[in-house]
Amino acid sequence: MLKQKHTNPNIMQRPRQMQRLLFLLLAQLLKVVFCDTNEGPEHERRHGGPTLGHWTYTDQDWKKDFQQCEGKSQSPINIETSKTMFNKNLPKIILEGYSLPETTSLNLTNNGHTVKLTLPDSMSISSGFSQKYLAAQLHFHWGSVSSSGSEHTVDGTRYAAEMHVVHYAAKYGSLSTAALEADGLAVLAVLFQVGPNDNKNYNHIFDKLQDVSEEGVIVQIPGFDVNTLLPRQLYRFFRYNGSLTTPPCFQTVTWTVFNDTIQLSKAQLHKLETNLKTGHHTLDSNFRFVQPLNGRKVFASFSATLASRRMVTKEDTAESGGDDKSGSELREPNAYSTHSGDTLAIIFGILFGCTVLVFVIYVLRQRKRRSLNTESGQKVIYKPTTTMEA
Ligand SMILES: *[C@@H]1O[C@H](CO)[C@@H](O)[C@H](O)[C@H]1NC(C)=O
Ligand SMILES: *[C@@H]1O[C@H](CO)[C@@H](O)[C@H](O)[C@H]1NC(C)=O
Ligand SMILES: [Zn+2]
């Protein structure tokens, strides 16, 4: 189902249909992936009601207009930590070019569904996947003044809000092309919790929210270090295959949900929850409900059991001086059994070696004795050895 694509080989033989389909597809993509909504309130007024392709968070029955939204690998999901599978082979995530010079100019937009910051493709995930992904944009999902609004939930807990940093596979050249390919998109998700202090790193964006209050407005903000928006512990994350959480719900996203959360103050969250408008209404609670897992696996780059983490961290710090923290985290759950396994292997190895040696000596002695007994002449040369052994 992840291989599912929007285009069909048969269509290639019918150029006109293909063109129309491609056009529709591109329109949807431009609208949703790039978040440039053509169908604002004006459009609705002109046509006297909601148009095809218009969608809201209040009515999430999106499958009527967007077939893929009823697929079997949809996002977001509830991450049940006890059912996640520790996978020590998940590569460490390394971000490149995230520290943007102030001379860069970034567009901040209210597209009626979210507030979105466009990112230059000089920013990338250089390691973490089997291929390179380039950044396209980041945006937020939030609740209301009285309720949480993250999209992913962890063990049933909905966090205050969530940020998505959207990347596309470099080999596909553009976000719109990549969005149609099974391995096309990689989204990094950060969950927010309420903390006592303002998180200054987010003021680059939050100080401008008032300026993009009206749907469709774009303002420019100078470049800053986007690393500071992400958790410090990038090596602790959940990984699963899913979809865009907005129509057209393409199932082409490899999700990375960081285990470490970021704190925002109540006042900062309040800005997100009250400053933006969709049409004439407050843009809030812009999260999609969690979707069924349908047998999908959710991997964890780290051991989910706090107890073993504590034990192993202590041990590994003693061993390695604690400089290879991520490495030790990734080895976590098996570290203990591996160590005791090593010891066992050595003991058995020695025992086995001894047994073989004794057996070989025994066989040699038997053979020499036999050869001494049955043959004379040549074989006598073995005699000194035999005597030495004895
Ligand atoms: C995602 O799907 C790909 C292709 O089917 C598969 O190789 C990979 O293991 C899946 N990843 C996860 C986290 O399930
Ligand atoms: C982080 O992982 C721990 C251990 O699995 C879990 O208890 C906690 O809920 C997770 N938090 C998030 C935000 O993923
Ligand atoms: Zn999102």
Side-chain angles (χ1 to χ4, degrees):
M1 77 204 77
L2 280 161
K3 294 266 149 71
Q4 203 174 330
K5 303 222 182 111
H6 218 73
T7 47
N8 176 327
N10 297 344
I11 292 167
M12 309 310 264
Q13 281 132 33
R14 286 165 284 170
R16 218 170 280 163
Q17 273 189 327
M18 183 185 78
Q19 269 177 10
R20 206 184 317 142
L21 255 163
L22 274 178
F23 177 78
L24 277 172
L25 185 70
L26 275 175
Q28 291 299 352
L29 271 171
L30 279 173
K31 192 165 47 154
V32 184
V33 179
F34 287 111
C35 298
D36 294 331
T37 40
N38 305 322
E39 285 151 353
E42 277 156 12
H43 199 98
E44 268 174 49
R45 239 175 282 135
R46 239 182 289 134
H47 294 267
T51 51
L52 181 85
H54 181 79
W55 58 272
T56 67
Y57 281 103
T58 39
D59 172 16
Q60 296 196 10
D61 190 15
W62 300 336
K63 61 178 185 291
K64 290 175 297 182
D65 290 337
F66 306 94
Q67 202 199 331
Q68 302 227 12
C69 296
E70 63 175 345
K72 291 274 187 280
S73 296
Q74 290 290 293
S75 294
I77 57 163
N78 173 42
I79 296 166
E80 264 187 87
T81 56
S82 66
K83 291 189 181 158
T84 59
M85 296 169 70
F86 170 67
N87 183 346
K88 64 177 178 195
N89 296 322
L90 289 173
K92 193 173 161 176
I93 289 173
I94 298 174
L95 305 171
E96 230 171 62
Y98 259 53
S99 185
L100 296 171
E102 237 178 296
T103 48
T104 320
S105 169
L106 308 169
N107 283 349
L108 188 73
T109 327
N110 168 357
N111 64 21
H113 298 298
T114 188
V115 57
K116 184 192 66 166
L117 185 70
T118 53
L119 300 171
D121 61 10
S122 55
M123 290 171 57
S124 67
I125 307 175
S126 58
S127 163
F129 299 92
S130 53
Q131 57 178 325
K132 188 171 180 162
Y133 285 89
L134 309 179
Q137 48 109 330
L138 64 79
H139 62 265
F140 297 84
H141 300 269
W142 58 89
S144 70
V145 285
S146 56
S147 57
S148 301
S150 72
E151 294 213 293
H152 288 92
T153 58
V154 181
D155 293 331
T157 300
R158 189 175 302 286
Y159 286 79
E162 183 167 337
M163 177 176 71
H164 292 157
V165 192
V166 180
H167 299 76
Y168 62 93
K171 67 180 177 193
Y172 296 123
S174 74
L175 180 61
S176 52
T177 308
L180 302 170
E181 304 292 338
D183 60 348
L185 303 177
V187 180
L188 307 180
V190 176
L191 298 167
F192 297 106
Q193 283 185 293
V194 185
N197 305 311
D198 275 0
N199 184 332
K200 299 261 169 16
N201 302 327
Y202 276 83
N203 285 348
H204 298 281
I205 298 171
F206 289 0
D207 283 350
K208 291 285 199 280
L209 289 180
Q210 273 180 313
D211 301 343
V212 292
S213 162
E214 294 294 327
E215 183 178 337
V217 170
I218 303 174
V219 298
Q220 303 209 316
I221 68 171
F224 62 97
D225 187 356
V226 182
N227 285 301
T228 64
L229 302 183
L230 299 174
R232 228 165 290 164
Q233 319 288 26
L234 292 185
Y235 54 85
R236 254 199 316 257
F237 58 82
F238 300 107
R239 171 68 53 79
Y240 78 98
N241 286 333
S243 74
L244 300 173
T245 65
T246 54
C249 307
F250 293 155
Q251 300 186 146
T252 56
V253 180
T254 306
W255 280 95
T256 302
V257 180
F258 291 115
N259 182 232
D260 286 18
T261 59
I262 292 279
Q263 295 201 341
L264 299 175
S265 70
K266 222 169 176 134
Q268 286 181 310
L269 282 163
H270 197 262
K271 276 188 184 174
L272 207 49
E273 290 155 358
T274 60
N275 266 323
L276 299 149
K277 287 193 284 185
T278 173
H280 299 293
H281 304 284
T282 303
L283 171 53
D284 62 5
S285 297
N286 59 345
F287 61 90
R288 187 187 193 191
F289 304 135
V290 294
Q291 304 295 307
L293 208 50
N294 295 318
R296 277 177 289 173
K297 286 180 182 136
V298 181
F299 292 114
S301 67
F302 62 103
S303 160
T305 51
L306 198 62
S308 78
R309 182 185 307 154
R310 226 180 261 135
M311 287 194 303
V312 176
T313 306
K314 219 200 256 164
E315 190 196 36
D316 278 3
T317 337
E319 268 179 17
S320 66
D323 55 349
D324 184 19
K325 238 191 144 206
S326 59
S328 67
E329 284 291 334
L330 296 181
R331 287 205 312 270
E332 249 166 43
N334 291 326
Y336 258 81
S337 53
T338 307
H339 283 220
S340 53
D342 283 350
T343 316
L344 271 179
I346 289 166
I347 291 169
F348 274 108
I350 290 169
L351 279 176
F352 182 71
C354 289
T355 312
V356 169
L357 199 67
V358 167
F359 180 72
V360 167
I361 290 168
Y362 172 79
V363 168
L364 280 176
R365 285 178 82 172
Q366 290 299 312
R367 270 175 59 180
K368 279 160 203 164
R369 205 164 288 161
R370 218 179 302 134
S371 64
L372 280 175
N373 292 346
T374 51
E375 296 166 49
S376 47
Q378 280 179 297
K379 298 284 176 185
V380 175
I381 50 165
Y382 286 114
K383 206 184 172 186
T385 339
T386 319
T387 27
M388 256 164 60
E389 264 176 52

